[in-house]
Amino acid sequence: MKSSPSVDEFQNEVPPSGVRGLSMCHSAFPFLISILTMLFSTSTFSQSSPYFQQKVDYNIIVSLNDTAHTLDGYISMQYQNNSPDTLHYIWFHLWPNAYKNDRTAFSDQFLENGKTNFYFSHEDKRGYINRLDFKVDKVTALMQDHPQQQDIIKLILPKPLAPGTSAKIETAFHVKLPNNVSRGGHQNQSYQITQWYPKPAVYDQYGWHEMPYLDQGEFYSEFGNYRVQITLPKNYVVAATGELQNEDEQQWMLSRTAEIWGNEFRKSNPGKKLKNTGAEDQGSYSSKDSITKYFSPSDSELKTLEFAQDNIHDFAWFADKRFVVEKDSLQSATGKTINCFSYYLPFHSATWKNSSAFIKKSISFHNEAVGEYPYTHASAVDIDVKYSIGMEYPMITSISGVKTRTELELTIEHEVGHNWFYGILASNERLHPWMDEGMNSYYDNRYLLQYKTDTAKPSFMRNHLPADEEMLDLLLNSLIKVKKDQPIETPSEKFSELNYGAIAYHKTALWMKQLETTLGKPLFDSLMHEYYNRWKFKHPYPEDFKNLVQEISQQNVDAIFSLLNQTGDNITHSKLNDRLDQRPPSVRKKIKIASFFSLKDSEKYHYIFVSPAIGYNYYDKFMAGILIHNYTLPSPKFRFILAPLYATNSKQFNGIGNINYSSYSYKRISKIVIGATFARFSTNQSLDTSGNKIFENFYKVVPYLQFHFRHPARSHITSWFDLRTYLIGQQNFNRFEYKAYSDSTFFYPTATSRSDYYINQLSFNVENSRVLYPYDYQLKLQQGKGFYRFDLTADYLFNYSKGGGLQARLFASKFGYFSNDHNNGYQYRPKLLAATGEEDYTYSNYFLGRTASTAVAQEPVKNLGFGAQQIMIRDGGLKLRVDQFGYLQGASENWVAALNVNTTLPNIFPVKLPIRLFFDIGTYAEGWKENATTSKFLYVGGLQLSLFKNVFNIYAPLVYNKEFKDVLKTDPERNKFFKKLTFSINVQNISFKKIFPQISF
């Protein structure tokens, strides 16, 4: 099978420099060279084989069972082989089988895009097509499964189909409609019947284009004439592709006003009220009312509706007993009447009322901008699904989730525009999505400019965020800056989810604008009209569009078409009202101070954000200061965040900070970051002999270097090497004296002394943030004065079908000394129990009371409290604190290994509770010695309360080793339930990278 070419295969070379120099000397040469170049270009752009197009005419008879949510149908196709090849088989799409199980291309892609609702759906929510019995010219034909895809079959023709001949292909079929999670299916008795019948794949000059159904990636089908009969209960309203042939049904539909529907509801539901949502809604009904789930009983009497349409390549229909119907019409330039229908749910009437006028407006716009709409009907349907979508089909579009009339107008304009780009110019959108989505988006921008449609946001958002169209500029520029963009000429399924919108839609629209600017608007509009007229009802490819541009313009457009295959900031883009203008080659940005954040005018300003900042710990108490940073989009190469804080208790300046510089590349190493972090806070407090407060504190400076690796665009994996050195200074108490205080005598520190140390650290980190079974692991080597330590930490989440899951953490560590002096390495040893604040030797975690449980002079200045129960999920991670019993820590001078497991609870309560069960178990080298002071394995299990997306956790140990039980019995106060609680504050779980995985923060 020949593959479809990309545009760069059709580029001409620029004449060599020597020829250009010669043409400057001889006046006859420029003309000759241009003629030869044009002739050469024509032969180069010609396709490798002549264009042909198959034709498939359809007769479909189908009935809806709205109890079982099934379709039973019969389809007859007349397949015309217009190719020069004899066909021995035909690939068929059976796209309802995409919903058959969780092993289809659709299911896999849905997971890749972060959606688990189909993967974990019950079998009765899924769908399929079966009961197929293909006959070709009355002879039974064999079917063969596709080797990889469940929703594609190969129909073996009983006899070869020669060029210029046709065959009648027919079969019965049965469809189980899925719960609608992607374009088609049903929600209760609201039906969205799309991609629902057996459909031949396209066979063109590049071979067969059999393709699985995908959520990200649309369709490519053969043109033909359709006749469709639909049988269903009489009280359903049906919106469909084509022209409705039943005159009585047309009249009945037009009587379906919101007022009539309301009367119908009251008759069927005496005593219930329809709530008006407000005066400005002009009679719409509250979506909070039972009306949203209300379906009147289906009529026992059935009706059969007939739809007919020539020259289309797909057929979709929508059925709902609640639809309100509106009609408008317009006259085309040739005098043809085009009827515009909108079908909407009555509780959305505030937004949808008079929506048929938006369809009319869009058709008028595209008629003038591209070419005349060839059909007599166009419809938009408000579908009742649980996600937002606008999806096009020939002559009809389905829409859900719009909130305002402006949003509805722009959605209708875009989706109706697809009648030109997809419906009539039926390019292979799966391979070349820019030819549909991008070209259509270009005309969206022209529509916005022409009609100056207001997309204003509330005042706060308007002051901090760009308009919707400029937001797309910002998103695109952000991806380009960190070199995460992809070429425009990328197949749909190869795009990352962000790039699909930013590149296939938006960057293509900007490329089309650049083409318009290059050629001039009159010439551009002329060639687009010619493109439409020449290729309507056909399958144009990129080279066809390029050939036409070159032919009409009589210009060499290699340079601009080569941009389709490039990444980077190679296309002019600016704010919406300046899209016609190219920015100056270099614009020096100004520095602008703003509060909190702003994404407005990011192409003009280097923002520095200044806002209040606060902090707290047991020793510094309340801290107040300012947060200064330049984190924004697009991500600047040089970034900083500084938070100087004044401590009200210690009367000193503390704070944190990070500065770094990033270099980005499209190569294997995608990003290099060099930077440094800073921190300073108090770690303990006491009174000296004079009764004055005295504090211990630390400071650290951590220079670091990171190398981030490139992964495929759709991959959820990030990986990087991190090399850093911790330079840490500590101010610790010394010179203690006895002194009486409150009738008692205690040690008091009278001074502090400084000590310094370093830790060199090299780590390799891998994170896979996929929605199903995400994992991460880290290999870390640390070295300090006299010791080394090698750690492996791995996390894995096993998702449950009804939400939540089981989280497993594996830890293993090897520790050793470089000499016989073991004094320096004591605090660095790995252990089984979770780390305390004093054991956080790199000062990498936030602690309320870092030394609370071992504070000097606890009586004069109490700082035990709740802070003494904080832990850090590091090392073995056993969630218990028995600090006073050193031998029970599971600390090792050799090796440690542990497993931590926690699981969410089954959904057995009316509300989802943030409670989990946890169990930790570990072992260490010393536990296996002959005279071990503990068992070989130590364990702790209990309940875990997880709050704020796992940032704050409280642990209640309920079961644990006998050794722990025995020592806790010796301290009745410490053995109380609330005293055994521990908690962790995991600020590292706040990750913008998980929210915006493709944009560097």
Side-chain angles (χ1 to χ4, degrees):
M1 180 180 74
K2 290 176 280 187
S3 62
S4 170
S6 60
V7 171
D8 59 349
E9 295 177 43
F10 296 89
Q11 306 303 312
N12 296 320
E13 295 182 0
V14 176
S17 58
V19 173
R20 288 200 298 268
L22 184 62
S23 68
M24 295 172 63
C25 301
H26 300 275
S27 60
F29 259 83
F31 177 75
L32 178 59
I33 290 297
S34 64
I35 293 295
L36 291 174
T37 301
M38 187 170 67
L39 290 173
F40 177 73
S41 299
T42 302
S43 63
T44 304
F45 294 157
S46 64
Q47 297 168 350
S48 56
S49 57
Y51 179 85
F52 64 85
Q53 183 175 319
Q54 311 290 64
K55 184 183 180 186
V56 187
D57 293 334
Y58 294 85
N59 278 286
I60 307 176
I61 300 172
V62 66
S63 61
L64 169 69
N65 182 329
D66 69 344
T67 301
H69 307 302
T70 59
L71 302 175
D72 286 286
Y74 178 83
I75 185 169
S76 172
M77 293 163 275
Q78 195 69 29
Y79 187 98
Q80 175 70 36
N81 181 13
N82 294 323
S83 79
D85 306 317
T86 297
L87 302 182
H88 297 271
Y89 60 86
I90 297 174
W91 286 109
F92 265 80
H93 295 134
L94 304 180
W95 280 330
N97 278 345
Y99 305 98
K100 187 175 182 179
N101 52 48
D102 58 18
R103 297 181 299 280
T104 65
F106 158 73
S107 178
D108 291 344
Q109 189 193 67
F110 223 49
L111 285 174
E112 284 181 5
N113 285 349
K115 302 168 186 173
T116 59
N117 51 330
F118 177 77
Y119 183 86
F120 286 124
S121 63
H122 192 270
E123 187 175 347
D124 65 359
K125 302 292 185 183
R126 297 181 176 181
Y128 52 81
I129 184 171
N130 61 10
R131 302 179 192 173
L132 299 167
D133 182 20
F134 278 100
K135 291 181 173 57
V136 180
D137 292 331
K138 304 299 184 181
V139 179
T140 299
L142 298 177
M143 293 180 288
Q144 289 182 358
D145 293 335
H146 190 278
Q148 286 90 35
Q149 309 299 343
Q150 298 182 53
D151 54 351
I152 305 172
I153 61 164
K154 180 188 285 186
L155 184 70
I156 308 301
L157 300 176
K159 66 177 182 179
L161 187 61
T165 63
S166 66
K168 183 179 181 181
I169 304 172
E170 54 192 326
T171 183
F173 65 95
H174 172 82
V175 175
K176 164 66 169 60
L177 295 169
N179 191 61
N180 190 334
V181 294
S182 171
R183 300 189 184 99
H186 76 99
Q187 292 283 354
N188 296 314
Q189 289 184 326
S190 179
Y191 294 93
Q192 305 83 39
I193 314 300
T194 65
Q195 311 304 340
W196 53 284
Y197 55 92
K199 187 189 303 183
V202 172
Y203 184 70
D204 62 19
Q205 66 269 34
Y206 299 110
W208 284 106
H209 296 278
E210 76 279 12
M211 58 186 71
Y213 178 93
L214 295 176
D215 187 64
Q216 179 181 303
E218 297 181 8
F219 311 107
Y220 187 39
S221 303
E222 302 284 16
F223 280 98
N225 302 329
Y226 279 73
R227 302 293 182 269
V228 180
Q229 293 182 15
I230 302 169
T231 299
L232 74 175
K234 190 176 181 179
N235 54 340
Y236 275 92
V237 178
V238 175
T241 298
E243 292 187 30
L244 175 63
Q245 304 297 299
N246 309 64
E247 290 187 13
D248 57 339
E249 183 74 9
Q250 294 177 28
Q251 297 304 314
W252 177 76
M253 284 200 311
L254 293 176
S255 71
R256 296 284 299 177
T257 65
E259 291 76 18
I260 289 177
W261 192 94
N263 291 332
E264 187 177 302
F265 177 85
R266 293 182 186 94
K267 289 177 183 178
S268 302
N269 295 266
K272 292 187 178 180
K273 295 182 179 180
L274 291 174
K275 296 179 182 179
N276 192 296
T277 58
E280 67 176 286
D281 289 344
Q282 301 174 358
S284 68
Y285 305 107
S286 170
S287 60
K288 296 179 181 179
D289 197 83
S290 61
I291 191 173
T292 57
K293 298 180 180 179
Y294 164 73
F295 293 90
S296 60
S298 295
D299 205 315
S300 59
E301 184 179 351
L302 303 180
K303 63 183 176 184
T304 298
L305 308 179
E306 184 174 350
F307 295 86
Q309 188 60 56
D310 293 343
N311 255 344
I312 56 175
H313 55 70
D314 199 1
F315 188 97
W317 55 284
F318 306 87
D320 199 306
K321 290 175 281 191
R322 303 167 297 175
F323 277 147
V324 171
V325 184
E326 280 188 3
K327 178 185 177 183
D328 203 339
S329 62
L330 74 151
Q331 297 290 319
S332 70
T334 59
K336 179 176 62 181
T337 298
I338 302 171
N339 294 311
C340 306
F341 292 89
S342 63
Y343 302 79
Y344 59 87
L345 300 166
F347 41 88
H348 293 156
S349 64
T351 304
W352 278 78
K353 189 175 179 64
N354 300 322
S355 53
S356 55
F358 296 151
I359 305 170
K360 176 180 176 179
K361 187 176 177 182
S362 180
I363 292 175
S364 297
F365 168 78
H366 287 90
N367 275 350
E368 182 179 348
V370 186
E372 186 170 336
Y373 186 71
Y375 310 119
T376 60
H377 286 67
S379 303
V381 186
D382 174 21
I383 61 172
D384 189 9
V385 295
K386 297 177 181 178
Y387 55 93
S388 297
I389 189 174
M391 184 61 205
E392 71 278 4
Y393 304 94
M395 305 173 64
I396 194 166
T397 179
S398 59
I399 297 170
S400 72
V402 294
K403 301 291 192 300
T404 66
R405 286 183 61 77
T406 297
E407 186 181 355
L408 178 64
E409 177 184 353
L410 297 180
T411 304
I412 285 178
E413 180 278 321
H414 176 84
E415 301 304 337
V416 169
H418 276 299
N419 280 285
W420 283 260
F421 301 99
Y422 155 80
I424 300 163
L425 294 166
S427 53
N428 186 340
E429 188 178 355
R430 187 67 64 87
L431 288 179
H432 311 287
W434 68 272
M435 297 186 73
D436 172 31
E437 301 295 358
M439 287 185 175
N440 196 34
S441 296
Y442 161 79
Y443 285 100
D444 294 345
N445 291 343
R446 285 183 59 161
Y447 181 94
L448 281 167
L449 286 171
Q450 180 169 323
Y451 294 105
K452 296 180 174 58
T453 306
D454 180 19
T455 58
K457 296 180 172 67
S459 57
F460 178 82
M461 302 301 284
R462 188 165 59 246
N463 293 334
H464 291 82
L465 294 178
D468 292 342
E469 309 75 37
E470 297 163 26
M471 197 71 181
L472 292 171
D473 276 346
L474 180 65
L475 173 61
L476 174 60
N477 202 23
S478 299
L479 290 165
I480 289 172
K481 292 293 186 185
V482 297
K483 294 183 169 45
K484 294 289 186 69
D485 59 314
Q486 295 170 264
I488 291 173
E489 184 54 82
T490 298
S492 297
E493 68 269 27
K494 298 296 183 182
F495 274 119
S496 68
E497 194 172 15
L498 275 178
N499 277 332
Y500 186 55
I503 305 293
Y505 287 68
H506 186 59
K507 191 175 184 181
T508 305
L510 300 174
W511 179 85
M512 289 284 288
K513 166 58 74 176
Q514 188 159 327
L515 181 61
E516 176 204 310
T517 304
T518 300
L519 300 177
K521 193 168 185 291
L523 178 57
F524 177 86
D525 285 347
S526 176
L527 71 86
M528 289 304 294
H529 278 87
E530 178 61 23
Y531 174 58
Y532 175 74
N533 290 325
R534 186 180 300 185
W535 285 98
K536 61 184 176 183
F537 310 125
K538 295 181 182 179
H539 302 308
Y541 273 88
E543 64 272 16
D544 299 314
F545 181 59
K546 182 182 179 184
N547 287 343
L548 183 139
V549 172
Q550 185 134 326
E551 173 193 330
I552 301 298
S553 69
Q554 292 295 294
Q555 298 181 32
N556 188 315
V557 291
D558 290 348
I560 192 167
F561 271 81
S562 69
L563 300 179
L564 296 172
N565 294 282
Q566 297 176 16
T567 52
D569 192 10
N570 51 20
I571 293 172
T572 301
H573 56 287
S574 58
K575 294 176 69 174
L576 179 65
N577 57 359
D578 296 325
R579 290 193 192 279
L580 282 173
D581 303 323
Q582 185 167 346
R583 288 182 301 178
S586 63
V587 178
R588 187 176 182 84
K589 292 185 178 183
K590 298 178 181 179
I591 294 177
K592 185 174 183 179
I593 307 298
S595 61
F596 296 103
F597 79 97
S598 178
L599 300 179
K600 283 181 73 75
D601 301 322
S602 60
E603 75 281 0
K604 291 183 181 179
Y605 301 112
H606 289 297
Y607 279 107
I608 296 178
F609 302 101
V610 181
S611 59
I614 59 173
Y616 179 85
N617 66 46
Y618 270 18
Y619 321 114
D620 296 305
K621 302 299 183 183
F622 179 76
M623 291 175 280
I626 56 175
L627 176 67
I628 309 170
H629 71 92
N630 70 337
Y631 279 62
T632 185
L633 294 176
S635 179
K637 289 185 176 181
F638 174 74
R639 297 182 299 177
F640 61 87
I641 182 167
L642 304 170
L645 300 166
Y646 179 74
T648 58
N649 187 50
S650 62
K651 310 297 184 184
Q652 61 188 14
F653 283 98
N654 296 324
I656 57 174
N658 183 5
I659 61 171
N660 62 72
Y661 181 86
S662 300
S663 174
Y664 300 95
S665 168
Y666 289 105
K667 297 179 181 178
R668 182 69 182 94
I669 296 179
S670 62
K671 181 172 69 169
I672 299 175
V673 185
I674 185 169
T677 63
F678 319 91
R680 184 190 190 280
F681 291 99
S682 296
T683 59
N684 200 355
Q685 67 170 327
S686 182
L687 298 177
D688 63 14
T689 54
S690 300
N692 298 318
K693 293 177 182 177
I694 186 172
F695 298 89
E696 292 184 320
N697 58 57
F698 82 93
Y699 72 87
K700 71 173 181 177
V701 178
V702 186
Y704 62 89
L705 179 65
Q706 295 177 340
F707 297 90
H708 294 252
F709 298 98
R710 180 167 297 280
H711 295 275
R714 289 191 58 78
S715 174
H716 291 274
I717 296 176
T718 56
S719 61
W720 68 99
F721 274 111
D722 183 292
L723 176 63
R724 59 184 60 210
T725 296
Y726 294 89
L727 303 173
I728 295 173
Q730 298 178 130
Q731 204 74 19
N732 298 320
F733 296 145
N734 71 352
R735 298 214 314 262
F736 294 89
E737 295 182 10
Y738 279 111
K739 185 177 179 181
Y741 182 84
S742 299
D743 301 324
S744 299
T745 301
F746 298 99
F747 270 115
Y748 289 82
T750 61
T752 60
S753 63
R754 175 174 165 173
S755 62
D756 300 289
Y757 64 92
Y758 72 91
I759 303 290
N760 291 321
Q761 177 177 296
L762 173 65
S763 66
F764 176 63
N765 307 267
V766 175
E767 293 181 2
N768 190 334
S769 59
R770 62 191 183 186
V771 68
L772 188 67
Y773 313 134
Y775 66 85
D776 62 75
Y777 63 86
Q778 180 189 68
L779 300 171
K780 181 170 66 178
L781 175 63
Q782 291 182 331
Q783 174 268 325
K785 185 178 180 181
F787 82 94
Y788 70 88
R789 173 172 167 164
F790 183 77
D791 294 347
L792 165 65
T793 307
D795 293 277
Y796 188 90
L797 174 65
F798 181 83
N799 306 70
Y800 295 154
S801 61
K802 295 183 179 180
L806 183 146
Q807 180 82 45
R809 175 181 178 268
L810 174 67
F811 174 80
S813 181
K814 179 69 176 73
F815 183 85
Y817 293 103
F818 293 123
S819 67
N820 292 327
D821 181 7
H822 294 186
N823 292 324
N824 282 329
Y826 184 84
Q827 71 185 82
Y828 309 119
R829 296 181 306 166
K831 69 171 193 171
L832 290 182
L833 268 67
T836 67
E838 284 194 306
E839 293 160 340
D840 179 18
Y841 53 84
T842 61
Y843 292 94
S844 298
N845 210 71
Y846 166 70
F847 276 86
L848 277 175
R850 188 171 289 274
T851 57
S853 64
T854 56
V856 177
Q858 293 171 3
E859 290 302 319
V861 182
K862 282 196 178 286
N863 55 8
L864 273 165
F866 191 52
Q869 295 170 249
Q870 185 175 351
I871 59 175
M872 177 182 178
I873 306 302
R874 200 198 69 186
D875 294 5
L878 272 66
K879 300 168 185 67
L880 190 68
R881 286 194 71 158
V882 285
D883 301 348
Q884 63 271 45
F885 302 98
Y887 74 96
L888 278 179
Q889 302 300 303
S892 176
E893 293 185 343
N894 190 352
W895 59 264
V896 162
L899 176 66
N900 313 114
V901 177
N902 71 75
T903 176
T904 55
L905 298 177
N907 294 326
I908 57 177
F909 302 101
V911 295
K912 186 177 180 180
L913 299 176
I915 297 176
R916 305 182 181 197
L917 298 175
F918 77 86
F919 185 77
D920 310 317
I921 187 169
T923 186
Y924 65 119
E926 284 75 358
W928 295 81
K929 290 182 178 179
E930 216 171 285
N931 298 318
T933 57
T934 68
S935 304
K936 292 183 175 67
F937 292 92
L938 300 179
Y939 65 86
V940 179
L943 293 176
Q944 173 179 335
L945 177 65
S946 296
L947 303 173
F948 311 116
K949 293 188 179 297
N950 207 33
V951 171
F952 184 75
N953 292 278
I954 299 175
Y955 311 97
L958 301 178
V959 294
Y960 32 81
N961 277 79
K962 183 177 183 300
E963 289 95 330
F964 295 139
K965 291 180 182 178
D966 291 342
V967 299
L968 287 171
K969 288 177 183 177
T970 65
D971 187 349
E973 182 67 22
R974 183 71 183 82
N975 200 30
K976 293 179 179 179
F977 176 79
F978 286 103
K979 292 292 185 179
K980 288 186 288 185
L981 296 180
T982 57
F983 71 95
S984 65
I985 302 174
N986 309 297
V987 293
Q988 67 274 13
N989 289 344
I990 304 173
S991 174
F992 288 105
K993 184 171 63 176
K994 293 179 180 179
I995 303 172
F996 302 100
Q998 286 200 295
I999 301 177
S1000 180
F1001 279 91

